[in-house]
Amino acid sequence: MSEDKPEKQQKVKGRLTLRTFARNTKSESLGVYLETADDCFLIRPASGNPFENPLAKLAGKYIEATGRRSAYVFFASKWREIPDPD
Protein backbone atom coordinates (compact mmCIF):
# COMPACT_ATOMS: atom_id res chain seq x y z
CA MET A 1 0.00 0.00 0.00
CA SER A 2 1.48 3.36 -0.99
CA GLU A 3 1.28 6.47 1.11
CA ASP A 4 0.27 9.80 -0.38
CA LYS A 5 3.12 12.24 -0.07
CA PRO A 6 2.25 15.91 0.18
CA GLU A 7 3.24 17.80 -2.94
CA LYS A 8 6.29 19.96 -2.47
CA GLN A 9 5.27 23.58 -2.96
CA GLN A 10 7.87 26.04 -4.17
CA LYS A 11 8.02 29.77 -4.91
CA VAL A 12 9.31 31.16 -8.17
CA LYS A 13 9.79 34.72 -9.39
CA GLY A 14 10.11 35.93 -12.94
CA ARG A 15 8.68 37.67 -15.97
CA LEU A 16 5.69 36.34 -17.89
CA THR A 17 6.00 36.05 -21.67
CA LEU A 18 3.80 34.65 -24.43
CA ARG A 19 5.44 32.14 -26.80
CA THR A 20 4.40 29.47 -29.22
CA PHE A 21 4.16 26.07 -27.56
CA ALA A 22 4.59 22.79 -29.48
CA ARG A 23 5.44 24.53 -32.76
CA ASN A 24 4.64 22.59 -35.95
CA THR A 25 2.40 20.06 -34.20
CA LYS A 26 -1.35 19.65 -33.85
CA SER A 27 -0.97 20.98 -30.31
CA GLU A 28 0.61 24.28 -31.39
CA SER A 29 -0.79 27.12 -29.28
CA LEU A 30 0.18 30.30 -27.50
CA GLY A 31 1.64 29.43 -24.11
CA VAL A 32 2.34 31.56 -21.05
CA TYR A 33 5.96 31.14 -19.93
CA LEU A 34 7.71 32.27 -16.78
CA GLU A 35 11.28 33.43 -17.35
CA THR A 36 13.27 33.19 -14.13
CA ALA A 37 16.93 34.03 -13.57
CA ASP A 38 17.83 30.35 -14.16
CA ASP A 39 15.11 28.83 -16.33
CA CYS A 40 12.07 29.28 -18.55
CA PHE A 41 8.95 27.08 -18.37
CA LEU A 42 5.22 27.04 -19.01
CA ILE A 43 3.05 28.31 -16.18
CA ARG A 44 -0.67 27.87 -15.65
CA PRO A 45 -3.13 27.74 -12.78
CA ALA A 46 -3.23 24.45 -10.91
CA SER A 47 -6.98 24.26 -11.46
CA GLY A 48 -9.23 25.40 -14.26
CA ASN A 49 -9.14 25.14 -18.02
CA PRO A 50 -5.54 24.81 -19.29
CA PHE A 51 -6.54 26.50 -22.56
CA GLU A 52 -7.85 29.67 -20.86
CA ASN A 53 -4.89 30.91 -18.86
CA PRO A 54 -5.67 34.06 -16.81
CA LEU A 55 -1.93 34.72 -16.51
CA ALA A 56 -1.81 35.68 -20.20
CA LYS A 57 -3.19 39.14 -19.39
CA LEU A 58 -0.11 39.71 -17.16
CA ALA A 59 2.36 39.11 -20.02
CA GLY A 60 5.37 41.39 -19.66
CA LYS A 61 4.86 41.75 -15.90
CA TYR A 62 6.85 40.19 -13.08
CA ILE A 63 5.16 37.78 -10.69
CA GLU A 64 5.87 35.62 -7.67
CA ALA A 65 4.04 32.31 -7.81
CA THR A 66 3.60 29.41 -5.41
CA GLY A 67 2.88 25.93 -6.69
CA ARG A 68 4.47 22.75 -7.96
CA ARG A 69 6.53 21.95 -10.99
CA SER A 70 6.28 18.99 -13.33
CA ALA A 71 8.75 18.29 -16.13
CA TYR A 72 8.06 21.51 -18.05
CA VAL A 73 4.97 23.15 -16.47
CA PHE A 74 4.66 25.09 -13.23
CA PHE A 75 1.18 24.63 -11.75
CA ALA A 76 0.54 27.82 -9.78
CA SER A 77 -1.82 27.62 -6.81
CA LYS A 78 -1.42 31.36 -6.19
CA TRP A 79 0.43 34.30 -7.69
CA ARG A 80 0.88 38.01 -7.30
CA GLU A 81 2.36 40.78 -9.39
CA ILE A 82 5.67 42.17 -8.09
CA PRO A 83 7.71 45.23 -9.07
CA ASP A 84 10.19 45.06 -11.93
CA PRO A 85 13.55 44.05 -10.38
CA ASP A 86 15.53 46.66 -12.40
Side-chain angles (χ1 to χ4, degrees), residues 12-32:
V12 292
K13 292 180 185 179
R15 183 173 166 262
L16 293 173
T17 60
L18 300 177
R19 296 184 187 179
T20 302
F21 171 74
R23 186 177 300 277
N24 299 322
T25 69
K26 288 190 226 178
S27 299
E28 184 174 315
S29 60
L30 192 60
V32 181

Side-chain angles (χ1 to χ4, degrees), residues 37-55:
D38 303 322
D39 206 355
C40 183
F41 44 85
L42 282 167
I43 183 170
R44 69 177 182 87
S47 61
N49 185 342
F51 299 105
E52 294 176 12
N53 192 334
L55 292 164

Side-chain angles (χ1 to χ4, degrees), residues 72-85:
Y72 62 93
V73 180
F74 187 85
F75 295 96
S77 54
K78 60 182 177 179
W79 60 89
R80 66 182 180 93
E81 191 174 335
I82 59 174
D84 185 333

